[in-house]
Amino acid sequence: MIAGHTRITTQALTSTARAVAAETLGISAGDVRASFDDEAGLLALHLALPLSIPPLAAVVADPSLVEAFGGSLTRRAQDAQAVIRMRVQQLTGARLSRVDMRVTGMSVARERRVK
């Protein structure tokens, strides 16, 4: 066996983070922006993305749709942060100090999504 080393590029880390965030939140990976910063030897992941919401008229008719979508926007973002952090670490082997998420917009879901 020949000794050597393996490096995972920033582009590969970024692509993985975008895919994980998109899958976790049920949005398109193309809508997710991701970047990393060094934070005392760990990586801080920064995400900017939209969140999907149920049709507002449907929420008026059935307020339980908010819970079916995973709760309030704040709760959904907070819950997703932990999942994204764990999955990115599992897939890449990188150690993340935190996941910062900035919600950049909303998209109305066409179909009812149940978590």
Side-chain angles (χ1 to χ4, degrees):
M1 183 161 139
I2 300 174
H5 60 273
T6 302
R7 293 183 190 185
I8 299 175
T9 66
T10 302
Q11 181 177 354
L13 286 171
T14 301
S15 295
T16 302
R18 288 176 62 215
V20 168
E23 184 176 288
T24 301
L25 292 164
I27 59 176
S28 168
D31 290 338
V32 179
R33 291 192 313 264
S35 63
F36 289 92
D37 284 326
D38 183 354
E39 187 171 86
L42 301 176
L43 293 174
L45 171 58
H46 307 284
L47 297 170
L49 46 78
L51 289 178
S52 61
I53 59 173
L56 300 179
V59 171
V60 170
D62 182 5
S64 70
L65 281 177
V66 173
E67 286 304 314
F69 265 69
S72 71
L73 296 174
T74 302
R75 189 174 98 206
R76 287 174 52 205
Q78 289 170 342
D79 291 348
Q81 285 172 311
V83 172
I84 292 166
R85 181 175 184 232
M86 179 192 68
R87 291 191 59 213
V88 169
Q89 288 182 143
Q90 285 176 333
L91 290 169
T92 66
R95 293 185 48 208
L96 302 182
S97 59
R98 68 179 196 270
V99 174
D100 295 328
M101 190 179 300
R102 184 176 54 156
V103 177
T104 59
M106 304 297 145
S107 62
V108 178
R110 291 196 172 109
E111 296 178 20
R112 181 176 175 173
R113 185 186 97 168
V114 177
K115 189 175 179 182

